Amino acid sequence: MPKSQVRRDQFGGLLRTLRLERRLTQEELAEASGSSVRGIREMERGRVRSPQRRTVVLLADALRLAGADRDRFVALARVERQPHDRAAVPDDRVAVPDDLAEVPDDRQAVVVPGELPAAVPDLAGRAEILERLSALAADVTAGRPDTASVVVLHGPPGIGKTSLAVAAGHRLSPAFAGGQLFVDLQGASPDGPVDPAEALAGLLRSLGVPDSRVPVSPAERGGLFRTLTRDRPLLVVLDNAASEAQVRPLLPAGRGCLALVTCRRPLTGLAGAVRLPLDVLAPAAGRLLLAAIVGADRIAAEPVAADQLVKLCGRLPLAVRIAGNRLASRPQWSVGWLVDLLRDQRRRLTVLTAGDLDVRSAFEVSYRQLDPMTARVFRRASLIPGTDFEPALVAAVAGTGEETAAAALEELVEAGVLLTVGDRYQFHDLVRLYAQERLDAEEQQACRTAAHDQMVGWLLRRTRQAGLMFEPVACRVDSPFDDDRTAAYWLDRESGNWLAALRDAARRGRHADVVAVTRALHWYSDANSHRHSWDEIFSLGVAAARAAGSPRDEAVLLNFLGWARYFCRDRNTDGLAALARALELARRIEDRREEAWALTYTAAILIRIGRGGPAIDHCRRAVGLFREIGYALGEHSAASALGGALAALGRFSEAAELHRDVLAFYVQGNGLSRTGAAVARAGAMMSLGADLAGMGRWRNAADEYARARRVFNLCGATFSEAIAIHRYGLALQALGEVAAAAEALRAALALYAALSCPWWEAQTLSALAALAGSAPGRAADARLLRQRALDRCGELDAPEVRTLRATLRRELAES
């Protein structure tokens, strides 16, 4: 063995022995001696031939060596230095300075760093992104032009950015022969981010540049780093970045280099970077992660509890990992036991702690970096009941202007503690819990209550204003909405918030507000019959009117409730009960308008259940009452119902004549809102189509249904559109156009299913079964469709449902 090799091995071994005897880590020895961790590591491994005397002396001081021990240590490190010409070092090599000189013969060895931390063994749910990174790395190393050499992996705290970057680094490392560098930029550290100049110094040391040769100037450090990386295939992982300014100086210059940057922000200022946002885990990936940590058998034994656990963790990788670690360290716990602990929202963040892993701390770092106004918006936004929200609502709850709220929300998105859904904002479930904790800790109860009440009041006012845009004669003074379409758009998007505000107002006895809002929503409900819980909404209104001692409002809202129960929920008996109460109350207070509406709605239910005769009587009385008080809109609504009653008794020509008159009335508008008039016209087309179908004029009927469908679609009246498509399909079936009929019925079925209308699904499936049963070789399909129809009938109890159920059972028995 050469003499130099013996000396090097002896010195490295001695250095390591002395360090361990004094119970020092390499990092601690580096700090005490002023050396780099990498330099000490390379010396201990025997890869450094001749450390400088200054370095050896500093190490001896740090190790507290004296006397003969010190002399032996210094002498063992002393070797004759080999001459070399630094200027002759090729471009693809890093000139290793004096204290890391390795190779004789006038050449310097290239230090190939491999600094990636150990990868987590149980990464789950990131296969697609890993594949994309592999493809990008292949393009980079192949030198393909216009290939991005910077990738930003961004997302909220706990989403697994570092784990993914490290796993990707290990996977891609064979493609980067120049080595792999890793820097924790501490962008979310409470002590502040790492200075780019300091990070550059560390990168230079990793590439073999000793402290003595690291330039003092940040600009010179950056220039040297770019020089050293110009022709060297390097993978650089810049973890936990704070900003673009911190990252830019640390990007390698070579076209064969790839930088993976992790950050809570998307770093939109980095030109040419590929940005890959990380989302929460899919449920299946969450289960896989749990199984990898806890054991597949243990998770398979409690599959339902495992799914609940992943859901309670918000599918956040950090939270799922913590939950898995807690289970792994407590084999006596069942998965269900941990689920029960996590159900308590007040304790959830505390439970999600395992060793030095802590969900709350991950959020805390970002929160402490917010300015006071943004922090206030963050806290107050947790009071918003819905899953997502707009800046105007946040402004109301935070007590600030809308522009200020919007700017704060964008800052929260940049900080990684708020998500965007289109042009709206959303909390992750666990972040919302943290925001609520901060609200409780930092704001007094009186302030929290005032903010909540201000938000509820704002929502109720805005909801009433939106609802009034659909009134036939609306008072639109100071309305924030341009027309009924913009009002409908707001009501649809904010439904989770205004409905929660309405419930809150009902619980707290704000009866006048509840009555005003529920009454204002009536005409909007016509076009959106199956989009919201109208039976609940109008029930709240009825209860509020009764509590407020307002029988007139109660009668109005009972009529709305009766309509919601039969038309929206197919609960005919319950609808009749509400309408009977409305009729009795209207007569008692001599409110002829509400009496007429109660009769009209009751007639609609009687037609449904096959009682056309009594329905005609109700409609004629309603027409007379509306005419008596001069309410043309009500008169034509009752006339339309009368036409339906006549058609139910087979008097189709009379019914068609009435429905043509009604259609002509609605074509004129007569004070209705744009949407209201359109929905009313389409409803009259549907009635006329049914009359034509009854007369056997199926082509004319199909045309009316097709016209009605287009109008309903434009108005967003999805349930009515589904009925129009359904009837159109039945008309085509009667015309013998089987393929087109089946296509229409399937389209109607999809809409019914999306709206959760089991009775209408059952009817459509039955019609499809009839089509399939008439086709050769499709008996099995017909049987399956009938079974599905029977299942959708479920526990519904109404005469028409019982009839269909009996028919289906008979057909199944015969098939």
Side-chain angles (χ1 to χ4, degrees), residues 444-467:
Q444 295 182 353
Q445 179 63 52
C447 294
R448 301 198 301 269
T449 300
H452 174 270
D453 291 349
Q454 186 169 299
M455 173 190 67
V456 169
W458 185 89
L459 281 167
L460 294 179
R461 285 192 302 275
R462 188 61 61 95
T463 304
R464 182 171 181 270
Q465 290 169 328

Side-chain angles (χ1 to χ4, degrees), residues 306-318:
D307 288 344
Q308 292 173 333
L309 182 60
V310 171
K311 183 177 180 180
L312 288 170
C313 289
R315 295 189 279 136
L316 190 71
L318 174 61

Side-chain angles (χ1 to χ4, degrees), residues 376-393:
R376 179 181 182 181
V377 167
F378 175 74
R379 296 191 303 269
R380 295 280 185 92
S382 69
L383 291 170
I384 297 174
T387 56
D388 53 67
F389 40 84
E390 62 175 356
L393 178 54

Side-chain angles (χ1 to χ4, degrees), residues 485-668:
R485 291 188 179 180
T486 57
Y489 184 67
W490 186 89
L491 286 166
D492 290 347
R493 289 175 18 125
E494 293 292 342
S495 60
N497 292 316
W498 63 253
L499 181 53
L502 189 66
R503 290 167 179 154
D504 182 87
R507 283 193 302 269
R508 301 180 65 184
R510 299 175 62 167
H511 306 310
D513 287 336
V514 173
V515 169
V517 171
T518 52
R519 287 200 60 166
L521 288 170
H522 167 59
W523 287 98
Y524 165 72
S525 70
D526 267 1
N528 299 273
S529 57
H530 287 65
R531 195 164 295 166
H532 307 296
S533 304
W534 295 115
D535 50 345
E536 179 195 1
I537 291 166
F538 294 136
S539 290
L540 292 174
V542 169
R546 187 178 301 122
S550 176
R552 192 171 303 278
D553 286 323
E554 186 179 353
V556 170
L557 288 158
L558 280 167
N559 275 325
F560 297 169
L561 178 59
W563 166 84
R565 286 178 173 173
Y566 89 83
F567 190 78
C568 303
R569 291 291 179 262
D570 299 307
R571 292 162 50 192
N572 296 330
T573 303
D574 291 340
L576 286 172
L579 293 168
R581 288 165 53 202
L583 183 61
E584 185 276 329
L585 187 56
R587 286 172 174 168
R588 178 157 58 85
I589 62 175
E590 298 181 350
D591 187 331
R592 294 182 180 179
R593 175 166 161 162
E594 293 312 314
E595 179 183 354
W597 278 123
L599 290 167
T600 303
Y601 289 137
T602 300
I605 299 178
L606 294 175
I607 294 168
R608 274 192 169 197
I609 62 178
R611 297 177 60 192
I616 289 177
D617 293 338
H618 279 66
C619 290
R620 285 175 173 162
R621 288 159 57 196
V623 168
L625 287 169
F626 281 131
R627 187 174 296 156
E628 182 181 335
I629 62 175
Y631 186 36
L633 180 58
E635 180 183 343
H636 283 82
S637 295
S640 182
L642 176 58
L646 291 170
L649 295 175
R651 297 160 63 177
F652 299 113
S653 296
E654 296 175 71
E657 185 177 351
L658 271 174
H659 288 139
R660 287 191 181 95
D661 289 342
V662 171
L663 178 57
F665 173 82
Y666 288 137
V667 166
Q668 298 301 318

Side-chain angles (χ1 to χ4, degrees), residues 132-165:
R132 185 170 178 185
L133 290 172
S134 295
L136 184 61
D139 289 342
V140 168
T141 55
R144 291 190 175 90
D146 301 324
T147 299
S149 59
V150 180
V151 178
V152 180
L153 303 171
H154 62 94
I159 204 68
K161 301 180 291 295
T162 299
S163 296
L164 175 59

Side-chain angles (χ1 to χ4, degrees), residues 666-680:
Y666 288 137
V667 166
Q668 298 301 318
N670 286 288
L672 286 167
S673 68
R674 179 171 54 182
T675 300
V679 170

Side-chain angles (χ1 to χ4, degrees), residues 740-787:
E743 182 181 358
L745 289 171
R746 284 192 292 268
L749 181 63
L751 291 179
Y752 288 143
L755 294 169
S756 187
C757 303
W759 165 233
W760 293 93
E761 288 181 67
Q763 293 177 82
T764 311
L765 286 164
S766 178
L768 284 167
L771 284 175
S774 64
R778 294 197 58 198
D781 293 339
R783 181 176 179 82
L784 179 60
L785 288 164
R786 290 189 178 102
Q787 186 59 60

